[in-house]
Structure formats: structure tokens, C-alpha cells
Amino acid sequence: MSMRTLQCFLIVFFFSLVATAQIPSTFNLMPVPTKVEVGAGQLVVDQSFTAISTGQKDIRLDRGIARFLGQVSRQTGMQLNGQPATAFSATLVIRAGNAGRKVQELGEDESYTLEITTSRATLTAPNALGALHGLQTFLQLIEPTPTGFAVPVISIQDQPRFAWRGLLIDVSRHFIPTEVLKRNLDGMAAVKMNVLHWHLSDDEGFRVESKRFPKLHQLGSEGQYYTQAEIRDFVAYARDRGIRVVPEFDMPGHSRSWLAGYPELASMPGPYKAGRIANADTVMDPTRDLTYRFLDKFIGEMTVLFPDAYFHIGGDEVTNKPWDSNPKIQAFIRARGMKNNRDLQAYFNRRLQKIVKQHGKIMMGWDEVLHPDLPKTVVVESWRGQDSLAEAAKQGHGSLLAYGYYLDLMWPAARHYAVDPMTMTKPGAAAALDAEEQKRILGGEACMWAEFITPETIDSRLWPRLAAIAERFWSPQETRDNQSMYRRLDEVSWRLGWLGLNQESNYALMLHRLAGSHDIAALRILADVVEPTKDYTRTEVFPQPPVKSTPLNRLADACRPESTAARQFAELVDTYLQSGSKDSAAEARIRASLVKWRENGANLQPVLDRSFLLAEDKPLSEDLAALAAAGLEALDSIGKNQPLPDALRTGHLAVVERSMKPRANLLVMVAPPIQRLIEATASSH
Amino acid sequence: MSMRTLQCFLIVFFFSLVATAQIPSTFNLMPVPTKVEVGAGQLVVDQSFTAISTGQKDIRLDRGIARFLGQVSRQTGMQLNGQPATAFSATLVIRAGNAGRKVQELGEDESYTLEITTSRATLTAPNALGALHGLQTFLQLIEPTPTGFAVPVISIQDQPRFAWRGLLIDVSRHFIPTEVLKRNLDGMAAVKMNVLHWHLSDDEGFRVESKRFPKLHQLGSEGQYYTQAEIRDFVAYARDRGIRVVPEFDMPGHSRSWLAGYPELASMPGPYKAGRIANADTVMDPTRDLTYRFLDKFIGEMTVLFPDAYFHIGGDEVTNKPWDSNPKIQAFIRARGMKNNRDLQAYFNRRLQKIVKQHGKIMMGWDEVLHPDLPKTVVVESWRGQDSLAEAAKQGHGSLLAYGYYLDLMWPAARHYAVDPMTMTKPGAAAALDAEEQKRILGGEACMWAEFITPETIDSRLWPRLAAIAERFWSPQETRDNQSMYRRLDEVSWRLGWLGLNQESNYALMLHRLAGSHDIAALRILADVVEPTKDYTRTEVFPQPPVKSTPLNRLADACRPESTAARQFAELVDTYLQSGSKDSAAEARIRASLVKWRENGANLQPVLDRSFLLAEDKPLSEDLAALAAAGLEALDSIGKNQPLPDALRTGHLAVVERSMKPRANLLVMVAPPIQRLIEATASSH
């Protein structure tokens, strides 16, 4: 037996293959790696921990390792000795084949291999990007054990499923300072996302300093914009973390903020003021050369500022009115033999694409840009459904899925997690793509539209749900176990606190503000089981259209998009009912929760009376108490195997029905499981 | 009736005089103002809120107002409209008589008057410093009410009791970056403190860049020091907030870190390395001219860097050994007709004082510097007791009290609160100071020595207890009600979260680290009722002497210096026992707590088993469960008016006794009230 064979033998001996879905429950890896083999034992991470890069000098990777060591220290609360390490002495040796492109490119190799034995760890990657990802995996493996902080003996081979794993952040509807965005870049890097899609202009605000056209930011931003120096710094910060920054300047629609300074670009006479109006009447005029001369200069300036190869021109939701009501534009359409406004937008896009290309960039647009005349190099981002994703791929476009990943819709993580760019949800043209067409599907993007976020609340609207989407984009397609996902999501969430993300820590502070008091125990009991209403319902009770200065300081802003307490209660109810009401431990926990909620109504009342911010939540608190009382009766009835009298049941179900309706932009999330309890009382006949 | 008389009449009519101690319980002012008159009604603070300064242009005050408006927005979660205001239209009009001295001086007028009616507020102050304080008062008055955020109609006249209201932060034992110090300056400003005493050098580290003597920071700091640019920026940041920065360079003792680079200053041959050793053997040699030439140049450099008029030379804890063991030094003492080392230190201090004075500064020192030969201009800071404070004042020195305000000793807020610079605790020379002598007592300083703090934990070791000391220094002497203090302290604490102070928000994160888990419910139940051991006991179980790299990531670091839950439980027990066991509401709450603690032992066990960080806490968890079980039996016994059998009582008291002992640097704070319950069972005979 040669040494080599012996080595292989020992590896086989020590490692037991663990399929992706069966990672030991003690691991908190997210996204789940492609391949994981777990061995016996662990590598201690103590104050003597060191890491060294043995490949060629790469300043990005060196900074990444320095940050990594800082995070090891922060996570563990241990100051590291900082002793100089050599390739022989270091605890973790990192070898990256090359430093990666100067401007990070789509499709660079992001794979890595992480081998951990009881004496040391080796991280190998063809490209520094993979090494950066591997460092994040190592950080997620560090746990306190009975004998110290440690990582398990493990072998990981990992690479992303999709090359484009993005997050859109809209900074137009509410301006988000770079300081807030930066901590979210850190969070993205922690879950191996690699594109920030920066939605920099919209009706409500133009957020970039333009030296060529200074009235864009001067008149279009109310002073809330990024200077070019800030942008360069931000792009460098992102690159350091393996994240590309793709700018979006939305045109020809969603462009009211441009028109404040440059009304000559519009299809209708101005003047304009940045802001949302009920039926957006602001679309650029694509028939005039002036428009293209302006855009050529503007795009020339922006493509220098933003080094990424891709340039997003928006192209969504172009309303008909401005073009319809301008006789010159309609004459232009007829004169050029176009059929309609849609053809005119295609004309605009073709000319835009030439400009973008002349400045060395690849154009992207939302799926409205799809048109037979659209050059195939344009990348299409599908936000209206999965059909357009397949359609774009079929037509020869690179394409991205945004539909299903809108975090501002306040969906539960599992709903986003179930959306897969490769799983077509509808039959028809989209159902079957050949291999070549499938390759054109580059990945996807989570989207954080900013009508209802502020710098204070954005972290809690992104996290932890974004980590589930990140896993969808990175991990093997068969990674689909919701239970595992939720368990790991909970763990990821508090660990993101080490990066300064405040989705956990700001919760109490916002509740204190609402109550105006140190004592938030009763308010927290309610807040823990409510969620903001879903989809686009919130606007209904806000100024229509919403204005960016509407204070976002209500319970709907403080509470989590997804209630862990309600999810766990629902699971408990299902467990109990599926046990044929025999699981007495589940029954006791259900009862304890119901008693707590029933009693909370009276406890919370004086708090709700005191603060105008909470007055609107009184019906919710009363309903929670009533639901809990009904649930307790149902629980008694099930336990005694005595059906509830019909009149009582009907009354209880009326409480449930009332409780299911949104009030104060909130939903009481324990209503459905309590409904199941009440309904179960009938089957005890 | 003239208009003037009518005005006075109306004021008397609308305002009812409220004595300091009787501020309505809805107010959360801390420190309590000197004089408060509360009227009827309120002034709404909504998005149209504006503030304007109508006095002469003062850039410091303008920045203060801008920060104030930012805080209004942050506290309320409302974006302010930011409309331009005039003296007629502004909600809050600020008039400061003058901008204050360029370098803030001791004794500048810090008073202010704040008048709030239902339509507007007026803040008047002779000096911008008072205006800054008044803005903090205004911020503390903003509360959510049933009709919106508002401040009450009120009239406040306020000024500090003491001119020197300081906080010492030791950055030698553990380096604290300026970013962390800055948020604590914000916190100090919020409670009207005005001096940061910056303990910049000690045996363990020399923290200032010296261009004259670069080996001081190069060899004395392990790379952890402030650059001169950082210091200038920091001093300016403090000045903006009405805070003076007084540097301390401790000499001739506590100077090991200096000697790493400059062993020629020492009384014994080197070499030296920065760090604590068991019996500090590092004292400068005061007999050589070289020492004074060095200090002259060094102090010359530092007095330029630090603009404050005061310069603290330390002077504490000079050990005898280095001087005793150096024959030349002993010969010097004899040759000059001195009696002992103490005289030699006085000689050193006199020469030092001349140097400090030549550089335009007033020297300060710890109370060891007191000596008949000490020039009367030297300010003496008493850390060893209150006697030296009075003694210094009697001898003609300005003096400060630090004794009783050591936050690192982990005392409860009430214990610090009870210490008053003007209340002499012992009879004798100190007992009676005449008015002239009393005036020499300038104020006091809270002290945060840094053996057991890190940048992560410092906020929770300072706050909220520091706010109680701030009140002692600012508010009238008769402000002494602990119940009011604790209520307001709770309120102040979460509000400080708006400034980024993390004493509330980092608690959960540290518990998560300890448990290595999202689920910290059981751990929190234990953590909520334990406190770090008091005084200097912690070092006993740490490396002796402690080293700065010892990880501070245990439960003793995560838990609060003072347990609110334990304090409230103790109050509840006293209420119940004083009611003759008739208060059934109190009884129910006591019982609920005891049941929770009794059951927590088993729940917490697996968590403690899993993490090496928590293993040491097992006896505490077991004792809490046992205490609770004993407490429940006692409660039953009291309720039934049936004495516990003696054997049982004795057993229970043994549990209490065991629980009172510190383990893992922790104390179970509910042991004393449970002891009182058990003891009460005897009186039911």
C-alpha cells in the first residue's frame, strides 16, 4: 500500500459521506455547500489561531483575511495573539490560484475547497473570490464546544449554482446612506451573494452626483445623494467583498426626478418636481435627438464611475399617457412605420443599447424591454413572472429572475425559498428550455423596493429572509428542506449581529419608542405574533400615493416580516393535532401560549391608551386575547373529546375570521393555527 | 393691572410649583433640573418641528442644534420637514448670550432656562454650554402621548451643582478606540457631564503617539494607540458637546509602558516590557536631571496636543521597592535632608508642577500627591476616601472626589448615588469645612478602570449606572430618592440606544455567543438575576496578575453590573412581607418568578453542557433552582401561616448561604430576598 493509497484509505476511513440535506444539525452553514463530508473530531480555535495566504501576493485577499481574523475575534470575544504565522505554523492556510479580475466579472470561478483536520485547515481556491467565500464558511463553522471554540473535522467542496446572485436596493424612494449599505454588503458577503443592484434613480429621487448634469442631483434629490467620491469608495468596498455593483438608472419611465432639472427630456411640458404622483405621467421623449445626446453624455459619465460591465437602464412600467398625448410623438411612431408605443420603446432601447455599448458596457433592462428587435446582448431581468425569464432565454438573452424574490412584499422566507429560477411554474413556451437556453439563465436577484423602508428599518426587512434567497441562488437545487432552512435562518440572523446588522437589536428599541417606556413586555407579546400585511396592501391606509416623509414608526415597521413565534406555534398545533391530541407536551406548550395571549389584552391596554402610535393596534390586541380564549376552549374540548356546541364554535370562527383581516397594516399570524384548533373540535364528534 | 403684572399673574395661575423631588412620574429627566414648574397642556412635536438660534452666530451651537434635530428625528422615527425657520415661526427658539471660551474652561456658566408653552419653546442661556444642556433636557421631555409626540408645558431653571462632572476612562489596560469613546461622549452629554479624564498611560500600555519620543507608543502600546490627528479630532468632538478632555499620564509609578522604550527613566535597571506584574517595580527616577529634561519635552508636546487648562500627572501607588533598592536614590534623599520616599515624591511633584506650569497648565494628581510642600495650585483627586478630599480643600487645594464612584467595582447605582462630595462620611478634620474650603470642592469623577472591560463591554459597564452619578454631580443635593432614580435610570438606558450605546442591545448577542445558539431563553433567565462579583474579587480566578488578552466573554461579562430583575424581586418580597403576607398580587408575582427559576435548572442544563464558556455556571444554575424551590416552600408556609419545620428551614438556609458565595465571578442576586422569605417563616410561630 503506497502512501498515497494509505492516505485515500484514511480519508475514506475518517470521513463519512454526508449528503447536502443531511448536514449535522449542529452546523449552521447557510448557504449549504455543494458537498460536505464530516469526519470525527474538531480543530480548536483559540487565541493562538492564525491564518496565512501562501499564494501570490493579493492585497484584496490579504484584507479579506484581516477582516476574517477580526470576525473570529468578534464572534468569539477573544483577542487573538496575532503572532506571525508561516505556512507550517498557521492554523488556516489559504491558497488562491489567482487574484481575480481587476473589475470583478460575471462567471469568475468562485469555487473553493475547505479541508479541516484536527490539527489544521486548508482553504484552496482557483480564484481569490472562492477563498473569500471559503473564509465565510469557516466563520459559520466556529461554535463553542465543551472543550473550547472549534470547527469540526470536515471536507467541503463548494461552488455556486448561479453566477449572478444579486440584491437590488432601491435608494430612490427612501435614501439609504452608504454606511447602512456597507453593513448590508458585509451581510451579503456572509451568505455569498455577489451583486448589488443599485436602483439609483426613480420618480422620487435621483441619488448620484452628476458633474456633467448637476441639476440631476441638485434638483432631483432634496440633497440626499451620493457624491462620486462616496460611490468610488463604496464600489471598492464591495469589490473587496467579492460583490459587483451594477447601477440602474431607470428610463424612459420612472424618471420624474431627472425631469426636475431637465424638463426638456420629457414627453410632456413641465415643470416637474421629484416625487410620486398617482398616475406617473413622466416618460422621456424618445423621438428627439436631444434625449440621446443627453443620455450619451450622462451614460459616458456613469460608465466611468461604475466599473462593472453591466449597466441597467430599467425600462419598466412605461405609461402610455405621455406618449399618447403628444401629437409629435404619435406622428413619429406613424412616420417610422411603428405600430404602437411598445415599438417606440423598443426603438428607444435599441438606440440606448448602442450608446451603452459604445461606452463599453452590456445593457440590462426589466422584462418590458423584451421585444423581437432587442439586441441579444441585452440581459433581461424578469420581475413580472417566470414566463418572461424563459421567454428571454429562448430568444437568446441572458436572463435573471427577480419575480418571487421581492422582499418588500413581506412574504415568509419559505415562499421565496420555493421559487427557483430553473423551475418553471407555468406550462407553455417556458416549460422546456434546452441546455443552451438554460445556460442563459444567469441567476436571480432579491429586490428591496423602498416605499416602506428607512435606514432604521432596512436591515430587518432584508434579514434574515435574504439569507434563504441567497441559499436558493448558491446551493444545489435539491436543497429544499424548510425545516432545516428555518433552523439555520434563526442561527444566521443573530450571527449577522456581529457585522452590525440590527434586525435583532433594533426590535426592542422600536418597541420602546412605541410604548414610550422601558416596560415593553406586554407590547412585545403582541408584536411577536403579528406581521406586516403582504404584497401591496400597505399603501391603502397611507397617503395615496405614499410620500417618502410618512413616518415609518408604527408597529407594522417594528414587527418582523415573518413571526417566528407564530410559525412555531402553528407547527406545535399541527404536531398536536397530528398526534390525535395525544402529545401532552405540545398541548402544555400550546396552552401556555394561549393563556399568555389571553391575559395580555388587559395588560397591554394602558400602554395602547398612552401612545398615539399604538392606538390603531387596539383591535389587534383585543382580537389576540379573544382568539386565545377561543383557542383555549377548543383545546379543552379536544382534550376531553367533547365537541364544542355549534353556537360556540360558530362564534369562535367569527372571531377568527375577523382576526384574519388586516388592521393597522398588520396581520395576527396565530389566527390560522387557532382556526385549525377550533375546526378540530368538530372532528371529535 | 399692568401688562407685566398680568403676565406674572398668568404665570402663577398656569404653573403650579413642583418641587424637584416631585416631578410627575411621566417625566424622564436625568439629571433632575434645579427648578421645575409644570403647567397644563403640551407642545406637539411633529414633522414641522423647527429650532433656530437667534443669538450671535456660533458654529458650535449650530452643530449642536443640527445634532439635536437629528436626535428628535431618530427618537421619534419621523423625518422632519426641514423647512427654514425664523425666530417667529420656529417651534424652539434658542438664545445663547455668548459662544463660550475657545478652550472650554472650568466654571463657565452652564445654566439655562427652558420655557415651553402650548405654542412654542424658548431656551435661554448666558453661554452656549447652557444651551447645549437645555437641548438635552428638551430631548428627554419628548414622549409619545395620545395625541402625538409632545413635550409638556413646563418652566425649567437649571444649573449644575458642581462645575467638574467627570468620567475617567482608562484606555491603558484595554485599548478603547475613539469610535467607542465618541458614542460614550454622546452619552455623557445626554446626562450633562462635562469632563472626560483620559487615563492614557499605565503599566500596561502607553496610548498616545509622541513625535518627540516615538518609542513611547512604538514600544509601549503593541500598536494600540491614538495618533495625534485622532486626538485632535476627538478633543474637538468633545468640545462640540461641552466636554473638556483632561489627559492623564501617570508618573512616577504606573509607568512600565514608558520604560519599554526609555529604560533610562527608571529607578532600576531594565529592560522593561509594558504589562502588569505582580508587584509593580517600575517607578521613574526622580533624582536625575535627565528625567526632568525628558518630562519637560514630553509635557511640552502633550500640553500643545491637549488644550485643556488641566494636566493630570497621576502620582498614585508609588511602590517603595525601586527607590529603596537604589543606593543612589537613597543617598539623594539623605543628602537633601528628606525623611523618606514620600518626601522624594513631593520633591518630584514640585519639580513636575514647575514644568507643567511653565507649559501653561494647572497640575492635577491623585491624593497621594498631598504633601505640605505641594503648591496650592495643584488640584487633588481623592480616590482613597473622602477624608483626603476634605483635607485637600482645607490645605487650599481644589479637589475632586473619585472615591465611591468606581464603576469597575460593579456596585449598584444606589450605592454610588448615595456618595456625595459634600457629605463627609467620617468625623475628624474632614467633618467641618468653612464656606471658602467648601468652594474648593470642584466636583467629582466616575472612574472606569479597564482591567475587565473591552470595547465590546464598556458601554454596559458604564451605563446606565453612570447616569445616576451624573445626577449626583448636577442636581440639587436633596435629590436622593432611590425609587425615582431607578425608574428614570431604566428609562434613560434604552433612550441612550438612540446614540448607539449598546448596553441594552449587546446583551442578547453576548448570550447567543455563550450558548452558541439562537435559543437563549433559559440562559437569559439565569443571566437576568446574576451580577458580577463586587470590588476587586474578580482577579482571584483569573491569571494573576490579569493579562489584557484574557478573553472577557463569560457570563460575568455579559450580565449586567446590576440586575433589575433581582432588585424588583427584592422589592416585591419586601412589599409582600411588610403587608403581613396579605398582598396577594405580590404573592402571585413572587410565586411566578420562583416557579420560573425552579424549572429553569433543568431547561438550562443542556445549554451549559454544550459550551465551555458556560460550564463554570452550572453551580449557579443549580443553586438558583434550589433557592427557588426553597423559596416556594417558604411562600407556602407563610401563606398557610405554618412555620417550616426547623430541619427544613436549616436546610434551606444552607442553600442560601452556599448561593451567596461567588462562583464564576458571579453572584446570584435573588439569594438575599429568598433568605428573607425563609426567615419570615419563623415569625409565623
Side-chain angles (χ1 to χ4, degrees), chain B residues 48-54 65 69 81-93 120:
Chain B
S48 69
F49 182 85
T50 49
I52 194 170
S53 165
T54 60
I65 293 170
L69 291 171
N81 294 342
Q83 60 215 12
T86 66
F88 288 105
S89 70
T91 328
L92 172 62
V93 175
R120 70 190 322 198

Side-chain angles (χ1 to χ4, degrees), chain B residues 210-349:
Chain B
S210 170
K211 298 191 195 258
R212 268 285 178 67
F213 301 105
K215 284 189 283 185
L216 283 172
H217 65 275
Q218 284 166 2
L219 299 184
S221 77
E222 291 187 296
Q224 295 190 306
Y225 63 90
Y226 309 104
T227 65
Q228 296 203 352
E230 279 178 306
I231 288 169
R232 276 187 290 268
D233 169 70
F234 183 74
V235 169
Y237 188 96
R239 182 186 185 276
D240 252 11
R241 285 148 184 82
I243 296 172
R244 298 163 43 214
V245 176
V246 175
E248 178 188 345
F249 296 95
D250 208 344
M251 53 188 123
H254 283 282
S255 59
R256 187 162 256 268
S257 63
W258 309 51
L259 306 180
Y262 300 92
E264 61 271 27
L265 296 173
S267 300
M268 290 167 67
Y272 295 94
K273 197 165 168 258
R276 176 176 293 197
I277 59 157
N279 293 301
D281 61 350
T282 44
V283 178
M284 292 176 186
D285 183 344
T287 67
R288 299 168 66 195
D289 277 343
L290 172 130
T291 304
Y292 299 100
R293 285 199 303 273
F294 181 99
L295 290 177
D296 185 30
K297 284 182 196 155
F298 173 73
I299 290 171
E301 184 183 15
M302 292 301 127
T303 48
V304 170
L305 187 59
F306 292 94
D308 196 80
Y310 290 79
F311 191 89
H312 202 304
I313 59 89
D316 57 319
E317 297 188 311
V318 179
T319 50
N320 284 312
K321 184 181 153 198
W323 289 350
D324 284 350
S325 62
N326 183 331
K328 283 190 191 164
I329 291 176
Q330 291 306 314
F332 183 91
I333 288 175
R334 287 189 300 275
R336 302 275 174 140
M338 301 178 197
K339 287 193 300 290
N340 51 28
N341 291 346
R342 191 130 168 61
D343 287 350
L344 181 59
Q345 191 184 351
Y347 166 84
F348 175 75
N349 287 336

